[in-house]
PDB file of all heavy atoms in Angstrom:
ATOM      1  N   GLN A 418      -6.093  -4.368  13.193  1.00 38.00           N
ATOM      2  CA  GLN A 418      -7.525  -4.109  13.015  1.00 38.00           C
ATOM      3  C   GLN A 418      -8.007  -2.896  13.787  1.00 38.00           C
ATOM      4  O   GLN A 418      -9.179  -2.552  13.711  1.00 38.00           O
ATOM      5  CB  GLN A 418      -8.341  -5.330  13.479  1.00 38.00           C
ATOM      6  CG  GLN A 418      -8.319  -6.495  12.489  1.00 38.00           C
ATOM      7  CD  GLN A 418      -7.072  -7.330  12.657  1.00 38.00           C
ATOM      8  OE1 GLN A 418      -6.314  -7.131  13.593  1.00 38.00           O
ATOM      9  NE2 GLN A 418      -6.833  -8.258  11.748  1.00 38.00           N
ATOM     10  N   ALA A 421      -9.910  -0.398  11.943  1.00 38.00           N
ATOM     11  CA  ALA A 421     -11.106  -0.862  11.234  1.00 38.00           C
ATOM     12  C   ALA A 421     -12.023  -1.583  12.202  1.00 38.00           C
ATOM     13  O   ALA A 421     -12.337  -2.741  12.046  1.00 38.00           O
ATOM     14  CB  ALA A 421     -10.701  -1.789  10.096  1.00 38.00           C
ATOM     15  N   GLN A 422     -12.421  -0.863  13.285  1.00 40.00           N
ATOM     16  CA  GLN A 422     -13.209  -1.488  14.325  1.00 40.00           C
ATOM     17  C   GLN A 422     -14.562  -1.951  13.803  1.00 40.00           C
ATOM     18  O   GLN A 422     -15.128  -2.914  14.281  1.00 40.00           O
ATOM     19  CB  GLN A 422     -13.419  -0.503  15.477  1.00 40.00           C
ATOM     20  CG  GLN A 422     -12.116  -0.188  16.186  1.00 40.00           C
ATOM     21  CD  GLN A 422     -12.275   0.978  17.141  1.00 40.00           C
ATOM     22  OE1 GLN A 422     -13.235   1.718  17.075  1.00 40.00           O
ATOM     23  NE2 GLN A 422     -11.310   1.142  18.017  1.00 40.00           N
ATOM     24  N   ALA A 423     -15.103  -1.219  12.829  1.00 37.00           N
ATOM     25  CA  ALA A 423     -16.430  -1.549  12.336  1.00 37.00           C
ATOM     26  C   ALA A 423     -16.396  -2.682  11.311  1.00 37.00           C
ATOM     27  O   ALA A 423     -17.418  -3.219  10.935  1.00 37.00           O
ATOM     28  CB  ALA A 423     -17.079  -0.318  11.719  1.00 37.00           C
ATOM     29  N   GLN A 424     -15.198  -3.018  10.810  1.00 40.00           N
ATOM     30  CA  GLN A 424     -15.103  -4.064   9.800  1.00 40.00           C
ATOM     31  C   GLN A 424     -15.206  -5.434  10.450  1.00 40.00           C
ATOM     32  O   GLN A 424     -14.900  -5.618  11.613  1.00 40.00           O
ATOM     33  CB  GLN A 424     -13.775  -3.961   9.049  1.00 40.00           C
ATOM     34  CG  GLN A 424     -13.703  -2.720   8.171  1.00 40.00           C
ATOM     35  CD  GLN A 424     -12.362  -2.633   7.475  1.00 40.00           C
ATOM     36  OE1 GLN A 424     -11.555  -3.530   7.573  1.00 40.00           O
ATOM     37  NE2 GLN A 424     -12.158  -1.548   6.780  1.00 40.00           N
ATOM     38  N   ALA A 425     -15.607  -6.401   9.675  1.00 39.00           N
ATOM     39  CA  ALA A 425     -15.736  -7.750  10.210  1.00 39.00           C
ATOM     40  C   ALA A 425     -14.368  -8.386  10.318  1.00 39.00           C
ATOM     41  O   ALA A 425     -13.612  -8.432   9.371  1.00 39.00           O
ATOM     42  CB  ALA A 425     -16.623  -8.580   9.290  1.00 39.00           C
ATOM     43  N   SER A 426     -14.030  -8.860  11.527  1.00 39.00           N
ATOM     44  CA  SER A 426     -12.813  -9.644  11.707  1.00 39.00           C
ATOM     45  C   SER A 426     -13.254 -11.092  11.839  1.00 39.00           C
ATOM     46  O   SER A 426     -14.428 -11.411  11.736  1.00 39.00           O
ATOM     47  CB  SER A 426     -12.065  -9.177  12.945  1.00 39.00           C
ATOM     48  OG  SER A 426     -12.924  -9.224  14.055  1.00 39.00           O
ATOM     49  N   ASP A 427     -12.300 -12.003  12.086  1.00 41.00           N
ATOM     50  CA  ASP A 427     -12.649 -13.411  12.207  1.00 41.00           C
ATOM     51  C   ASP A 427     -13.635 -13.576  13.353  1.00 41.00           C
ATOM     52  O   ASP A 427     -13.291 -13.361  14.501  1.00 41.00           O
ATOM     53  CB  ASP A 427     -11.380 -14.253  12.463  1.00 41.00           C
ATOM     54  CG  ASP A 427     -10.486 -14.259  11.238  1.00 41.00           C
ATOM     55  OD1 ASP A 427     -10.995 -13.952  10.132  1.00 41.00           O
ATOM     56  OD2 ASP A 427      -9.295 -14.554  11.393  1.00 41.00           O
ATOM     57  N   GLY A 428     -14.816 -14.012  13.043  1.00 46.00           N
ATOM     58  CA  GLY A 428     -15.841 -14.184  14.069  1.00 46.00           C
ATOM     59  C   GLY A 428     -16.386 -12.874  14.578  1.00 46.00           C
ATOM     60  O   GLY A 428     -17.053 -12.832  15.600  1.00 46.00           O
ATOM     61  N   GLY A 429     -16.094 -11.751  13.913  1.00 57.00           N
ATOM     62  CA  GLY A 429     -16.538 -10.434  14.368  1.00 57.00           C
ATOM     63  C   GLY A 429     -17.917 -10.084  13.858  1.00 57.00           C
ATOM     64  O   GLY A 429     -18.634 -10.903  13.297  1.00 57.00           O
ATOM     65  N   VAL A 430     -18.300  -8.825  14.086  1.00 63.00           N
ATOM     66  CA  VAL A 430     -19.627  -8.346  13.669  1.00 63.00           C
ATOM     67  C   VAL A 430     -19.514  -7.691  12.303  1.00 63.00           C
ATOM     68  O   VAL A 430     -18.636  -6.856  12.092  1.00 63.00           O
ATOM     69  CB  VAL A 430     -20.151  -7.320  14.710  1.00 63.00           C
ATOM     70  CG1 VAL A 430     -21.543  -6.835  14.325  1.00 63.00           C
ATOM     71  CG2 VAL A 430     -20.161  -7.930  16.100  1.00 63.00           C
ATOM     72  N   PRO A 431     -20.395  -8.032  11.341  1.00 74.00           N
ATOM     73  CA  PRO A 431     -20.366  -7.381  10.025  1.00 74.00           C
ATOM     74  C   PRO A 431     -20.543  -5.884  10.167  1.00 74.00           C
ATOM     75  O   PRO A 431     -21.250  -5.418  11.061  1.00 74.00           O
ATOM     76  CB  PRO A 431     -21.551  -8.020   9.289  1.00 74.00           C
ATOM     77  CG  PRO A 431     -21.843  -9.285  10.008  1.00 74.00           C
ATOM     78  CD  PRO A 431     -21.445  -9.056  11.429  1.00 74.00           C
ATOM     79  N   SER A 432     -19.890  -5.119   9.273  1.00 72.00           N
ATOM     80  CA  SER A 432     -19.881  -3.661   9.402  1.00 72.00           C
ATOM     81  C   SER A 432     -21.294  -3.079   9.339  1.00 72.00           C
ATOM     82  O   SER A 432     -21.606  -2.124  10.045  1.00 72.00           O
ATOM     83  CB  SER A 432     -19.002  -3.046   8.307  1.00 72.00           C
ATOM     84  OG  SER A 432     -19.472  -3.414   7.030  1.00 72.00           O
TER      85      SER A 432
END
Side-chain angles (χ1 to χ4, degrees):
Q418 284 83 8
Q422 293 169 344
Q424 291 178 5
S426 55
D427 292 341
V430 182
S432 58

